[in-house]
Amino acid sequence: RVTTCAMGNEASQRKAHSNKKTMNSSTHNSTHSLFPKWRYVVAASLIVVMVAHLVYDVIPSPRPHPARFPLEGVSDSLMEWYESGEYFNFHGSAIFYKHTLRPDSNLPTLVLIHGFPTSSLDWAVMWPDLMGQFQLIAFDMLGFGLSDKPADHLYTVMLQANLTVALLGHLHVTKYHILAHDLGVSVAQELIARASESGDASLQSVVFLNGGLFPALHRPLLAQLLLAHPIAGRFLSRYFVSKRVFSKSITAAFGPHIPPTQELLEDYYALILHKDGWRVITPLLGYMQERRDHNDRWVGSITCDEQERTCMPIFLINGPADPISGSHLFHHYMKHVPHAKGQLLAAAVGHFPPLQDSKGVLQAFKTFHSKLSL
């Protein structure tokens, strides 16, 4: 009986141990089944953050240029452009501009608005020919070219439109025309919308070059999409401003037929580095989302029906080989804008008509304005 009792106790202990082991295993499995996903997510996130910071710290930032000229290795054309300009203060930021305004001149005033990611230098080739017909104003928008590039700023099309109006006020301009390219196209659309709302007749006509007139037809380059991302763009901006990657991206926008000169690429690159402009590439690209947000307002500014109200005289000059806003945009414009007027340039011309076919742009532009004055 003692032996039987001992054997019973031993069996009971083995059963209790087995139950405890089963319970522990069950608890462990239950805990494991509840939490594996978030543990993996946290671990993966930590790895991504560590790698991102490592990349951000290891990849050297471009050597900053001084806040003022002279820049190193730029062309004589850029130096001459800079030396003939000046600055005005826009809410604490220095904005570069140049003009040919004269108090005794009866010529109309033309405002030239550049695109992304360049500067007013884009107008240098056409400047001498336009001077005979207009008083000219060109400027570098905030974040571009020789103007200030504050890193903690909210860059918007609305802001650049305000800047344009402020510069015109600074120069005491009351009537003006616009020639706009790329991002400048959106700025001009906003100014048309404001003029329509207020009844202000200061803006008298607008000529558009290649740009995102219709957000649904805009075909940004892969580099633009990546750099526009608020998180990825911060890290990729350093990679973008390697001279090789930057030059490749700009060349792609020019289209396959008429590439930019090496001198122009060097000037563009110097201006991106000037005042650490590479740091604001991502916030500047916010204009692509802004176009979608204000689609009705800005598309509506150019689809005015002249039978309903007085419309802004507009004209589109388009480089058809542009992969971003080329012939596909031009044909849509001609089909959907009431009483549309425009000129399609030679087949080889891409995203930068003022640089790729300045004579064609000038001819089309002057033809439009000669009819406008009749």
Side-chain angles (χ1 to χ4, degrees):
R1 284 174 23 189
V2 172
T3 302
T4 302
C5 227
M7 289 177 63
N9 289 337
E10 186 178 344
S12 297
Q13 289 176 359
R14 281 200 303 269
K15 185 176 180 180
H17 179 73
S18 176
N19 289 340
K20 185 177 181 180
K21 183 176 180 181
T22 301
M23 189 187 330
N24 289 340
S25 176
S26 175
T27 303
H28 174 75
N29 290 336
S30 176
T31 303
H32 185 71
S33 65
L34 286 173
F35 301 112
K37 291 184 178 179
W38 74 260
R39 286 194 291 187
Y40 295 148
V41 169
V42 170
S45 300
L46 288 173
I47 291 172
V48 169
V49 170
M50 286 189 293
V51 170
H53 277 287
L54 179 64
V55 170
Y56 194 75
D57 291 335
V58 169
I59 296 179
S61 62
R63 182 165 55 88
H65 278 278
R68 290 286 181 261
F69 259 45
L71 298 180
E72 298 175 4
V74 300
S75 69
D76 292 340
S77 299
L78 178 52
M79 288 302 299
E80 291 171 6
W81 187 259
Y82 162 74
E83 289 170 354
S84 61
E86 50 194 297
Y87 291 86
F88 92 105
N89 186 297
F90 177 68
H91 299 310
S93 294
I95 302 299
F96 172 83
Y97 72 98
K98 61 178 293 175
H99 69 89
T100 62
L101 300 175
R102 298 193 314 273
D104 59 342
S105 175
N106 293 321
L107 293 175
T109 299
L110 177 65
V111 180
L112 303 157
I113 310 178
H114 67 84
F116 176 93
T118 57
S119 71
S120 60
L121 182 66
D122 288 348
W123 308 113
V125 176
M126 295 174 54
W127 190 266
D129 290 299
L130 288 170
M131 283 177 61
Q133 191 174 351
F134 295 92
Q135 297 188 91
L136 302 175
I137 302 171
F139 64 99
D140 291 347
M141 288 186 277
L142 187 68
F144 294 91
L146 303 178
S147 292
D148 281 351
K149 302 166 183 177
D152 57 348
H153 213 286
L154 178 62
Y155 293 91
T156 65
V157 172
M158 300 294 186
L159 171 75
Q160 307 293 8
N162 293 343
L163 189 162
T164 306
V165 173
L167 176 58
L168 292 170
H170 174 73
L171 295 173
H172 307 291
V173 173
T174 56
K175 294 182 181 294
Y176 65 100
H177 304 264
I178 286 178
L179 174 59
H181 175 235
D182 189 74
L183 168 57
V185 163
S186 297
V187 175
Q189 285 178 286
E190 171 58 24
L191 292 172
I192 294 174
R194 293 183 186 185
S196 177
E197 290 173 346
S198 66
D200 184 4
S202 299
L203 177 56
Q204 299 184 302
S205 76
V206 176
V207 174
F208 301 109
L209 295 168
N210 294 55
L213 281 170
F214 304 95
L217 299 180
H218 185 232
R219 299 174 180 174
L221 299 175
L222 177 60
Q224 288 177 287
L225 291 173
L226 293 173
L227 288 166
H229 192 278
I231 298 175
R234 176 172 176 261
F235 301 102
L236 291 174
S237 59
R238 291 193 175 210
Y239 176 68
F240 174 73
V241 293
S242 76
K243 187 176 291 188
R244 182 182 65 83
V245 174
F246 175 80
S247 298
K248 186 176 180 180
S249 298
I250 293 295
T251 301
F254 267 70
H257 307 295
I258 308 175
T261 64
Q262 188 59 40
E263 179 182 281
L264 182 64
L265 288 174
E266 294 285 345
D267 286 346
Y268 279 171
Y269 186 65
L271 288 170
I272 284 286
L273 296 187
H274 185 53
K275 299 183 181 179
D276 288 338
W278 62 276
R279 292 182 181 273
V280 300
I281 289 174
T282 295
L284 284 173
L285 278 166
Y287 74 85
M288 294 195 298
Q289 179 60 48
E290 209 176 348
R291 282 173 174 168
R292 294 187 286 271
D293 294 341
H294 297 285
N295 178 83
D296 293 345
R297 176 179 176 83
W298 293 345
V299 172
S301 73
I302 62 171
T303 52
C304 165
D305 189 342
E306 292 181 350
Q307 294 180 350
E308 297 179 359
R309 57 188 172 90
T310 302
C311 300
M312 181 70 61
I314 62 173
F315 191 78
L316 173 61
I317 303 173
N318 184 266
D322 175 9
I324 303 169
S325 52
S327 59
H328 65 285
L329 181 139
F330 180 83
H331 294 307
H332 183 88
Y333 165 87
M334 295 300 293
K335 182 178 180 180
H336 294 282
V337 173
H339 313 291
K341 299 177 180 66
Q343 176 66 53
L344 200 61
L345 298 173
V349 181
H351 186 69
F352 289 87
L355 300 168
Q356 295 175 293
D357 187 14
S358 60
K359 290 183 179 179
V361 173
L362 284 165
Q363 182 178 356
F365 180 81
K366 290 182 177 181
T367 298
F368 166 70
H369 270 274
S370 65
K371 295 178 180 179
L372 190 64
S373 60
L374 294 178

